[in-house]
Amino acid sequence: MKYLEIFTVESNIALNKTCFLLVLRSPVSLETVAAGQFVSIEVKGEDERILRRPISIHDVDKTNNLLYLVVQRIGKATNRLAEIKKNDEISLVFPLGNGFAIEGEKPLLIGGGVGTAPLYLLAKEFKSRGIVPDILIGARTNEQLFLTNRYSALGNLSISTEDGSVGERGLVTQNSVLKKDFDVIYSCGPTSMMRAVADLAKKRNIKCYLSLENRMACGIGACLCCVNENKEGHNVCVCTDGPVFLSDDIKL
Amino acid sequence: MEDNRLKVNIGSLELKNPVLTASGTFGYGTEYEDFLDLSALGGIVVKGTTGERREGNAYPRLAETPSGMINAVGLQNKGVEYFCKEIYPKIKDINPNVIVNVSGSSIEEYCKVASAINDLETIPAIELNISCPNVKKGGMGFGVDRQMAFEVVSEVRKIYKKHLIVKLTPNVTNIVEIAQSVEKAGANSLSLINTVLAMAVDSEKRKPLLSTITGGLSGPAIKPIALRCVWQVSHNVNIPVIGMGGIRNAADAIEFLLVGAKAVEIGTANFINPKISAEITEGLSDYLNRHGIEKITDIIGLI
Ligand SMILES: Cc1cc2nc3c(=O)[nH]c(=O)nc-3n(C[C@H](O)[C@H](O)[C@H](O)COP(=O)(O)OP(=O)(O)OC[C@H]3O[C@@H](n4cnc5c(N)ncnc54)[C@H](O)[C@@H]3O)c2cc1C
Ligand SMILES: Cc1cc2nc3c(=O)[nH]c(=O)nc-3n(C[C@H](O)[C@H](O)[C@H](O)COP(=O)(O)O)c2cc1C
Ligand code: FES
């Protein structure tokens, strides 16, 4: 079941220069929300933007009906979202898409930039099953990292920065944690990073899930704007067939 | 709640209210079932259906522009055979007016699809899309030429026995001319407008935003163009006109009725508020109450 509801802003906290954490109170139960799903937010303002914006679910507090989103300022809508304040109201369509399939005993979660956001709820899910995931976060510099202490509370955290300001210098695919043995990889981040992760997983014969962030208009499978090609050469909707795909099932 | 004052007829089609959903923006209807009562809509026009499966255009297919969006989906669908076998059984009873948008690149293809849909018992009408700007061959080609429009509609008329709606493109010099020729060819009604041929550019990357460079503009940005087209056409043909283009609230819908549309289709607004079509219907009832108007048909064509 999908809902269209007005949420109330509990808080909006800056995490670094461009990212902020939104805590939103839902008027309905969030019981069915799963890791890897997303919401579609209406961003109202004076300018003429009209479409909703898809944002991943970072965390959920089902007891208190709270939804956590991490958003990066990148353009008009996200800049406007950065300005919303406690008690503001905001319209969400949710929960959308298929979440992560939780499987494997030795999972590795690889996030790049704001793509790290949805991996938090996934890590939490593993932890609740008694599995401690490895979490690898990539960023250009330490200024782009966020909430790393919360991630390290859920798993073994490794960090790669391109400038070496924190963790290992280089790309995530060069991080030494990859020497360990894994049976499943989950990744969300820039396409170039996910492509490299998928290649690496294929070489090492590890099952790999990717979460895509294609541009969307409806978010519910009605407009066919968000498509990605699957391995049979057919276009599938990222919003309803994804956003999480097995890397072997799609062309990236 | 059903409001008898909102009933309208489009030829043989009986609509509970004049609010339908536009092709390509409402999937097959079921995508919206969590948000509104599908059976309460005036009608549902489902996705464009072609003779064979089509993958559509490459990603990116969407660019947001001031008060609108440009799409280049390009008629992605699994073909008419798949529609009849797999989709029709699931949607045949969701609404009394499930209408199939029929598209193609050749007269043969349009006829093939129309004849297959003709056999589907609960589909009372097709909307013949001779106006899609997003396919290389055919599509809009038929809708911009008076003679070609006449030919394709005449041929489909021969094999399609139920209500035939023909959807027009605004991307022409004289839309009235096309409308009249489609009427002569045997259309039972007209729907307009399809999207406006448009383009969006990323100045930073110095590249077009769509894989196809050009696409179709929809949303509030095109409403003034759509109103003009509906006004011109409805006063120059004798068949009913269904209006659309940028409608996002009841006031917009009323404007289309005032300039001569007997019903309206809601498109892009469904993406922003998936309940909008139901809300617009309620808004029409409110409008009648506020103005002490007896029934919605009383305001059609007042301008
Ligand atoms: C399923 C899904 C989950 C997402 N989760 C998150 C999340 O948790 N946090 C977050 O911050 N963002 C997330 N995004 C991305 C977010 O939706 C976009 O950043 C946002 O819509 C940008 O809107 P804007 O108006 O601020 O930018 P715009 O003004 O529309 O664009 C600014 C610039 O960013 C580029 N751009 C914008 N969106 C995309 C995109 N989807 N892909 C490629 N380039 C793009 C544009 O081309 C342009 O150059 C997600 C996207 C999807 C599809
Ligand atoms: C994503 C998208 C896909 C569309 N697909 C079709 C289609 O398959 N067939 C068709 O006749 N019109 C199609 N249209 C056009 C709409 O049905 C409608 O004519 C147009 O969008 C104008 O109405 P609006 O401004 O309310 O959206 C599409 C529009 C959009 C935005
Ligand atoms: S965004 Fe409309 S189909 Fe995916």
Side-chain angles (χ1 to χ4, degrees):
Chain A
M1 182 83 184
K2 301 183 189 86
Y3 301 89
L4 168 63
E5 296 291 346
I6 307 291
F7 282 54
T8 317
V9 178
E10 279 290 311
S11 64
N12 178 1
I13 305 159
L15 298 175
N16 59 33
K17 271 191 186 149
T18 60
C19 294
F20 54 98
L21 174 70
L22 283 180
V23 185
L24 307 174
R25 182 176 297 281
S26 171
V28 298
S29 163
L30 298 173
E31 206 43 58
T32 64
V33 167
Q37 289 187 302
F38 65 98
V39 301
S40 190
I41 304 189
E42 186 177 20
V43 185
K44 287 208 176 114
E46 316 75 60
D47 87 60
E48 336 78 345
R49 302 263 142 170
I50 55 169
L51 295 176
R52 286 174 179 269
R53 291 296 190 269
I55 300 291
S56 304
I57 293 169
H58 169 68
D59 193 9
V60 60
D61 174 349
K62 295 184 179 180
T63 321
N64 296 305
N65 287 345
L66 296 177
L67 195 66
Y68 294 72
L69 309 175
V70 175
V71 184
Q72 180 176 24
R73 301 158 64 129
I74 179 175
K76 293 208 174 161
T78 47
N79 273 310
R80 172 125 359 89
L81 263 183
E83 277 152 30
I84 63 171
K85 295 182 295 292
K86 185 173 166 65
N87 296 330
D88 283 355
E89 295 192 325
I90 186 158
S91 160
L92 262 68
V93 177
F94 73 100
L96 302 177
N98 301 312
F100 293 111
I102 315 275
E103 52 188 79
E105 308 277 298
K106 289 171 279 181
L108 171 63
L109 283 45
I110 307 180
V114 76
T116 307
L119 301 180
Y120 184 78
L121 191 52
L122 177 63
K124 216 169 146 182
E125 202 58 55
F126 274 114
K127 195 175 179 205
S128 74
R129 288 165 200 225
I131 296 172
V132 180
D134 272 277
I135 304 169
L136 170 57
I137 297 178
R140 244 175 295 132
T141 81
N142 64 340
E143 289 181 3
Q144 291 175 326
L145 297 169
F146 55 83
L147 300 174
T148 44
N149 53 339
R150 293 189 75 198
Y151 283 86
S152 57
L154 294 177
N156 310 311
L157 181 65
S158 310
I159 295 174
S160 283
T161 50
E162 286 175 38
D163 65 355
S165 48
V166 189
E168 296 181 21
R169 178 193 294 268
L171 303 172
V172 286
T173 42
Q174 298 164 330
N175 195 288
S176 60
V177 71
L178 291 165
K179 293 196 186 109
K180 285 171 70 174
D181 186 27
F182 298 106
D183 57 3
V184 59
I185 293 177
Y186 298 87
S187 184
C188 183
T191 309
S192 54
M193 184 202 89
M194 288 197 286
R195 214 177 268 139
V197 168
D199 282 349
L200 186 137
K202 199 176 177 72
K203 267 193 217 120
R204 292 184 42 186
N205 207 15
I206 305 171
K207 195 169 192 179
C208 177
Y209 289 98
L210 305 177
S211 185
L212 307 194
E213 299 199 339
N214 288 12
R215 303 221 110 192
M216 296 182 175
C218 72
I220 58 172
C223 72
L224 306 187
C225 287
C226 63
V227 295
N228 200 88
E229 203 176 331
N230 70 7
K231 69 165 185 286
E232 283 94 31
H234 297 310
N235 282 321
V236 292
C237 286
V238 171
C239 68
T240 48
D241 297 310
V244 180
F245 293 94
L246 262 179
S247 64
D248 282 343
D249 287 350
I250 50 160
K251 293 182 191 162
L252 204 60
Chain B
M1 222 187 314
E2 214 165 310
D3 182 346
N4 285 329
R5 299 172 304 170
L6 297 182
K7 280 189 182 158
V8 294
N9 290 348
I10 308 276
S12 61
L13 299 179
E14 292 175 10
L15 313 187
K16 281 180 200 152
N17 59 67
V19 182
L20 301 92
T21 55
S23 178
T25 67
F26 209 68
Y28 291 105
T30 47
E31 290 85 346
Y32 287 84
E33 67 192 355
D34 288 349
F35 301 106
L36 41 69
D37 175 4
L38 296 174
S39 69
L41 294 167
I44 297 173
V45 186
V46 303
K47 220 166 256 178
T49 303
T50 54
E52 307 298 331
R53 179 178 191 146
R54 288 198 194 194
E55 291 305 329
N57 296 315
Y59 178 85
R61 296 174 165 187
L62 158 70
E64 191 171 10
T65 54
S67 297
M69 59 175 273
I70 308 179
N71 89 83
V73 171
L75 296 178
Q76 179 181 332
N77 78 104
K78 292 187 175 167
V80 68
E81 210 173 299
Y82 183 89
F83 175 82
C84 295
K85 259 213 218 109
E86 304 293 332
I87 301 171
Y88 171 67
K90 292 184 193 131
I91 64 168
K92 61 198 261 293
D93 299 316
I94 58 173
N95 183 284
N97 293 303
V98 174
I99 296 168
V100 179
N101 182 268
V102 171
S103 301
S105 320
S106 64
I107 292 185
E108 293 71 43
E109 187 177 8
Y110 279 108
C111 288
K112 174 183 169 177
V113 181
S115 100
I117 307 293
N118 193 57
D119 296 337
L120 303 179
E121 199 192 324
T122 70
I123 307 285
I126 58 172
E127 178 178 67
L128 199 69
N129 174 13
I130 58 167
S131 47
C132 183
N134 289 326
V135 284
K136 281 199 195 75
K137 271 195 326 185
M140 193 167 76
F142 287 97
V144 297
D145 182 283
R146 190 165 49 158
Q147 190 53 36
M148 277 172 75
F150 181 84
E151 272 171 38
V152 66
V153 175
S154 307
E155 291 305 313
V156 170
R157 180 73 286 176
K158 284 182 198 154
I159 50 148
Y160 189 72
K161 305 300 175 206
K162 301 181 216 172
H163 187 96
L164 174 59
I165 308 168
V166 176
K167 186 164 177 182
L168 304 182
T169 172
N171 304 314
V172 294
T173 312
N174 186 343
I175 194 168
V176 171
E177 208 174 55
I178 309 274
Q180 288 172 336
S181 126
V182 164
E183 177 182 26
K184 219 178 288 160
N188 300 107
S189 64
L190 302 170
S191 64
L192 58 146
I193 59 175
N194 207 317
T195 53
V196 179
L197 195 57
M199 178 167 174
V201 174
D202 184 331
S203 58
E204 291 299 315
K205 298 189 179 126
R206 296 186 279 279
K207 282 196 177 126
L209 280 166
L210 296 171
S211 69
T212 48
I213 302 177
T214 63
L217 178 64
S218 64
I222 69 169
K223 194 184 77 172
I225 300 173
L227 280 171
R228 181 269 296 173
C229 290
V230 169
W231 177 74
Q232 284 182 322
V233 168
S234 66
H235 289 78
N236 287 289
V237 295
N238 298 307
I239 50 178
V241 170
I242 302 168
M244 78 192 92
I247 299 175
R248 58 174 161 180
N249 52 40
D252 291 339
I254 297 280
E255 291 171 22
F256 277 85
L257 300 178
L258 285 171
V259 301
K262 287 200 99 177
V264 294
E265 290 181 20
I266 314 299
T268 303
N270 292 304
F271 302 154
I272 302 146
N273 174 359
K275 297 185 182 184
I276 195 67
S277 301
E279 290 177 11
I280 288 176
T281 308
E282 284 166 28
L284 294 183
S285 296
D286 289 346
Y287 184 87
L288 296 186
N289 296 341
R290 270 196 299 122
H291 291 270
I293 296 166
E294 200 180 314
K295 52 189 195 308
I296 199 78
T297 47
D298 291 349
I299 66 161
I300 293 170
L302 288 182
I303 297 176

